[in-house]
Amino acid sequence: MRCQQASEWMSLQLDGLLTQAQWEELEEHLQSCPHCAKEWGMMLAADQLLQGAERVSPPRDLVPLVMARMEARARRQRLLFWGLGFALGALLFVWGVVFWDGAWRVWSVLSAWDAFRVLDCLFRTGVLVVQVFVLWLRVLFESGGGLVLISWSCLAAFLMILWLYIVLFRGYRGRRV
Amino acid sequence: MVEEERWVSLAQKGDKEAFCQLIRAYQAPVYNLAYRMLGDPDEAEDATQETFLRAFSRLHTYDPGYKFSSWILSIASHYCLDQLRKRKGRFVSLEGIKSWRWMPDRRPQPEERFLQHEEQVAVRRILSKLPPQYRVVVILRYWYGYSYEEMARMLETSQSAIKSRLHRARKMMAKLLQVSEETQVSKESRDALPASL
């Protein structure tokens, strides 16, 4: 038996996973190898030391502390949810007022034909916007500048995710309740 | 156990009182694990709180076919390993660790108490010298008696990896004890020298 295998078997023996035949083989090796015998003695000593180690309990009841932190986290998440919701709602409201009010004013002074032309114009504008977007994508991927732009976009996205992570999961930590 | 299943089921439905019962039942084992892993009472308390917060937010992922104790200790183990990974790089000496709340006071104690204290210090020193991945298997094996299979499931690794880590940890501990014993012997012989002269 090699010393490496003997060492592995010592660990298994401490967990009661060696068969009787294997244990006898290990014992035989231990009698002939002082180095392994010494290691076995030390492993046994460490095993006994850990077997006798006490369990420690928290110095106080942690329930109120955990519940307080849980409340703080829920409050923070609620605040973030309603804050973002309010900001988005306000943005939509402003956009709606500006856009629809303007559109209604134009619509009310136009004839049916003019209205059709306006719709046609809007459609062409939409097509143009899509073409510009496609062109922008091509530029992005075909030139060095695009790579720079992608890098900046990634950095911005990363910072945004990091900010969200800090606010949602880590913001309350470090503040002991 | 039936009571525990009821608490888990109620907590999964958002019942905070039931979750409080679970905290009361498991705060000691979770704290013990965190304390043995991190070696500091304040950090252990913080880790225990964080473990329960994480458990509450992930209760919907808990599989009732799995022991709740293993599930919660698995969360605690991963959290402590993360903390130690973050701590890596800044060296924390044993002397730098704050005094231990559970340690006996400095007044003269009976011999038995003194020996117990010495053993606790030795356990703490040995654990602090082990790499986190080895330390966690030693703690789960010796303080909680988990099998290789359970530990592999808890730490999301293979049984052979657990077997290997435990073996290496034991080899390291044996080596540490040997060095400590040799140092003790040489110190005693050094102390004895002036008296004999």
Side-chain angles (χ1 to χ4, degrees):
Chain A
M1 177 185 262
R2 287 182 299 114
C3 292
Q4 174 61 25
Q5 193 189 1
S7 178
E8 283 168 18
W9 281 19
M10 287 177 213
S11 182
L12 292 176
Q13 173 63 17
L14 290 174
D15 292 325
L17 297 172
L18 277 195
T19 62
Q20 184 60 31
Q22 285 172 322
W23 167 236
E24 280 165 13
E25 199 180 330
L26 176 63
E27 254 191 327
E28 201 178 305
H29 176 79
L30 292 176
Q31 279 165 5
S32 63
C33 176
H35 173 77
C36 287
K38 192 164 191 179
E39 186 176 296
W40 174 236
M42 285 298 155
M43 269 199 195
L44 274 178
D47 189 68
Q48 276 167 9
L49 189 69
L50 290 171
Q51 298 271 12
E54 293 167 359
R55 279 197 182 196
V56 288
S57 294
R60 52 187 161 161
D61 186 16
L62 298 180
V63 173
L65 302 177
V66 175
M67 294 320 281
R69 278 173 79 162
M70 206 183 275
E71 280 302 316
R73 174 187 274 192
R75 225 176 10 252
R76 196 174 292 271
Q77 283 180 346
R78 270 200 303 274
L79 193 70
L80 188 78
F81 177 79
W82 288 112
L84 281 177
F86 179 76
L88 194 66
L91 200 70
L92 281 172
F93 178 75
V94 170
W95 179 77
V97 166
V98 171
F99 182 80
W100 289 111
D101 185 56
W104 177 250
R105 279 166 195 271
V106 171
W107 187 263
S108 59
V109 295
L110 292 177
S111 66
W113 174 244
D114 287 336
F116 176 75
R117 283 180 64 191
V118 167
L119 285 176
D120 181 56
C121 189
L122 282 174
F123 176 73
R124 281 166 193 273
T125 310
V127 170
L128 199 67
V129 167
V130 171
Q131 281 177 340
V132 166
F133 181 68
V134 170
L135 191 69
W136 177 74
L137 279 180
R138 280 184 61 188
V139 167
L140 210 63
F141 286 100
E142 287 174 7
S143 71
L147 285 176
V148 173
L149 195 58
I150 286 180
S151 309
W152 278 109
S153 307
C154 289
L155 184 66
F158 169 71
L159 287 173
M160 200 173 77
I161 291 166
L162 188 70
W163 178 78
L164 278 174
Y165 174 70
I166 289 169
V167 169
L168 284 176
F169 301 108
R170 304 300 294 268
Y172 66 93
R173 290 194 62 235
R175 196 165 59 109
R176 296 180 67 79
V177 184
Chain B
M1 198 54 90
V2 177
E3 189 75 355
E4 182 187 290
E5 281 169 19
R6 200 171 65 82
W7 290 340
V8 173
S9 166
L10 285 171
Q12 277 178 325
K13 289 171 191 157
D15 186 334
K16 286 190 179 167
E17 191 42 49
F19 190 66
C20 286
Q21 295 292 344
L22 288 171
I23 298 175
R24 279 189 199 101
Y26 287 102
Q27 59 183 352
V30 171
Y31 178 83
N32 183 65
L33 176 95
Y35 182 73
R36 297 294 179 191
M37 281 297 288
L38 302 169
D40 178 73
D42 288 337
E43 279 188 62
E45 197 180 305
D46 196 54
T48 309
Q49 291 181 33
E50 183 60 29
T51 299
F52 285 111
L53 286 172
R54 287 184 178 196
F56 188 73
S57 62
R58 293 176 198 173
L59 264 176
H60 62 282
T61 66
Y62 169 66
D63 172 11
Y66 194 44
K67 274 197 286 186
F68 188 79
S69 57
S70 309
W71 185 72
I72 196 94
L73 288 174
S74 165
I75 295 175
S77 305
H78 284 290
Y79 178 77
C80 291
L81 286 172
D82 282 347
Q83 290 305 107
L84 290 168
R85 208 170 289 131
K86 283 177 197 163
R87 194 199 277 176
K88 200 178 170 185
R90 63 183 171 95
F91 175 71
V92 179
S93 71
L94 279 172
E95 287 72 24
I97 294 173
K98 290 172 196 164
S99 60
W100 306 71
R101 289 178 193 169
W102 51 271
M103 275 169 71
D105 59 25
R106 295 281 174 198
R107 287 173 296 175
Q109 301 290 328
E111 193 182 353
E112 205 173 300
R113 189 86 186 264
F114 175 75
L115 286 175
Q116 257 184 4
H117 163 71
E118 288 292 300
E119 277 179 11
Q120 291 300 322
V121 172
V123 167
R124 179 161 57 94
R125 186 172 293 128
I126 284 179
L127 282 179
S128 73
K129 294 268 197 289
L130 293 178
Q133 294 287 354
Y134 296 176
R135 199 183 305 169
V136 71
V137 288
V138 167
I139 293 167
L140 291 174
R141 180 79 197 125
Y142 282 96
W143 274 273
Y144 301 94
Y146 282 116
S147 66
Y148 289 2
E149 190 187 349
E150 284 170 314
M151 283 192 278
R153 193 169 171 185
M154 287 168 80
L155 300 173
E156 292 161 4
T157 186
S158 64
Q159 285 190 50
S160 59
I162 294 293
K163 192 170 109 179
S164 163
R165 281 183 210 170
L166 205 49
H167 166 236
R168 286 181 192 163
R170 279 175 171 143
K171 261 190 106 150
M172 279 185 84
M173 290 191 292
K175 193 92 185 157
L176 286 166
L177 272 186
Q178 194 178 333
V179 169
S180 150
E181 208 170 71
E182 283 166 6
T183 315
Q184 188 72 22
V185 168
S186 67
K187 193 182 168 196
E188 276 171 14
S189 59
R190 221 178 26 245
D191 291 346
L193 199 59
S196 63
L197 285 173

